[in-house]
Each structure stands twice: as structure tokens, then as C-alpha cells.
Amino acid sequence: MERKEFMKSIGQGAAFTLTFSCLSGCLEAENGLADQALIPDANGVLFSLDLNSSEGQSLKSPGDYIIKNTVVIAVNQQGNYVAATQVCSHKTIKQVIFRNDEFYCTEHGARFTQQGVGLNSDASKGLLIYPIQVQGQTLSILAP
Ligand code: FES
């Protein structure tokens, strides 16, 4: 059966449904679920950064953070690196930053601990946390 015949046989409603579901999936990717596309290497590393690079130099003091590949990488008050997805679990949009030693969504104010536990109602679904490995001057974000 040709594609045109198939579309005719399932009718306009089904065609709309198929189109709509595709659009919906595309919007999800656009809204930040793209971090699911991070593929770990054989060692479980999603990506790395050089701490001597300009972005690495932005991670020197407690409270500093950068966003790379939809991951928020921060320095906590103890001077340790922590990382979480930038995609808020409340409405799956990329609005998470690091503030007051917590992950925080600027959209509606969801607050998450450094372990990804929600601290208020908008944060009830928790937040995806990434393990971090530091070897020399290389910081790696690992698969959760
Ligand atoms: S989208 Fe993050 S708190 Fe609503």
C-alpha cells in the first residue's frame, strides 16, 4: 500500500493524531528533554570539560555555576562540584540554575537539594542529578 493510500484509508482524524503526536514530541525535545540525547562513552562519561578552560575558570568559588549540554554544573559551599539537569521536572523546561546552595527553577520557584530532592510542591518530582568525576584538570559528567 502506498503512503497516500494508507493516509486515505486511516482518514483525516488519524493523520491529524499522527501529526500532532510528532509535533508534541518535537516540542518536548525543544523544551529540554534533549539531554536524554547525551550518550555515555565506554566509561560512562557523558561529556567533560577542562577546568583550565574559560568555562572551567567560571567554576572557582562556591556558588559559581555554568550550564553546558543542558546540565547545570556548580560549586557548592563546601567547594565540591555538583551537577543536575537544567530541565525542571515541574513543566519540563530549561530553567534550573544553582542558587543558595540548591538547584532552583526560575520559572515557578521549584527548589531542589543537591541530591535532587524536591523542597516545595513544584519540585515534588525531584531533579535528575549527575555524578561527577574529577581527574586532574578534567571534570567529567557521568551517566546517572
Ligand atoms: S517549570 Fe520549574 S518550577 Fe515550574
Side-chain angles (χ1 to χ4, degrees), residues 88 90-91 93 105 107-110 122:
C88 182
H90 180 224
K91 296 286 183 185
I93 58 174
C105 180
E107 188 71 14
H108 307 113
D122 287 340

Side-chain angles (χ1 to χ4, degrees), residues 66-131:
I66 64 169
I67 296 171
K68 180 176 177 134
N69 297 331
T70 322
V71 176
V72 181
I73 306 167
V75 181
N76 68 13
Q77 288 301 312
Q78 289 74 43
N80 299 316
Y81 297 107
V82 291
T85 180
Q86 186 192 10
V87 182
C88 182
S89 57
H90 180 224
K91 296 286 183 185
T92 61
I93 58 174
K94 294 187 274 187
Q95 292 290 337
V96 174
I97 64 169
F98 193 70
R99 189 186 85 164
N100 296 334
D101 226 26
E102 300 170 349
F103 292 103
Y104 173 76
C105 180
T106 59
E107 188 71 14
H108 307 113
R111 295 171 47 228
F112 306 92
T113 68
Q114 294 172 27
Q115 292 73 40
V117 176
L119 295 171
N120 56 14
S121 61
D122 287 340
S124 62
K125 294 178 191 166
L127 191 67
L128 177 65
I129 299 297
Y130 291 98

Side-chain angles (χ1 to χ4, degrees), residues 4-143:
K4 195 172 175 182
E5 289 175 80
F6 172 73
M7 294 304 278
K8 240 186 205 176
S9 71
I10 63 172
Q12 295 280 339
F16 173 78
T17 301
L18 288 171
T19 303
F20 183 76
S21 66
C22 174
L23 283 175
S24 171
C26 294
L27 287 174
E28 283 180 3
E30 185 76 15
N31 285 337
L33 297 181
D35 61 341
Q36 292 174 348
L38 291 173
I39 308 290
D41 69 11
N43 297 316
V45 175
L46 295 173
F47 65 89
S48 297
L49 64 91
D50 182 350
L51 292 170
N52 289 321
S53 67
S54 58
E55 61 189 356
Q57 292 296 311
S58 299
L59 292 170
K60 289 294 182 196
S61 304
D64 288 350
Y65 75 92
I66 64 169
I67 296 171
K68 180 176 177 134
N69 297 331
T70 322
V71 176
V72 181
I73 306 167
V75 181
N76 68 13
Q77 288 301 312
Q78 289 74 43
N80 299 316
Y81 297 107
V82 291
T85 180
Q86 186 192 10
V87 182
C88 182
S89 57
H90 180 224
K91 296 286 183 185
T92 61
I93 58 174
K94 294 187 274 187
Q95 292 290 337
V96 174
I97 64 169
F98 193 70
R99 189 186 85 164
N100 296 334
D101 226 26
E102 300 170 349
F103 292 103
Y104 173 76
C105 180
T106 59
E107 188 71 14
H108 307 113
R111 295 171 47 228
F112 306 92
T113 68
Q114 294 172 27
Q115 292 73 40
V117 176
L119 295 171
N120 56 14
S121 61
D122 287 340
S124 62
K125 294 178 191 166
L127 191 67
L128 177 65
I129 299 297
Y130 291 98
I132 290 180
Q133 178 181 66
V134 178
Q135 290 182 318
Q137 291 302 306
T138 301
L139 182 152
S140 298
I141 302 299
L142 307 178

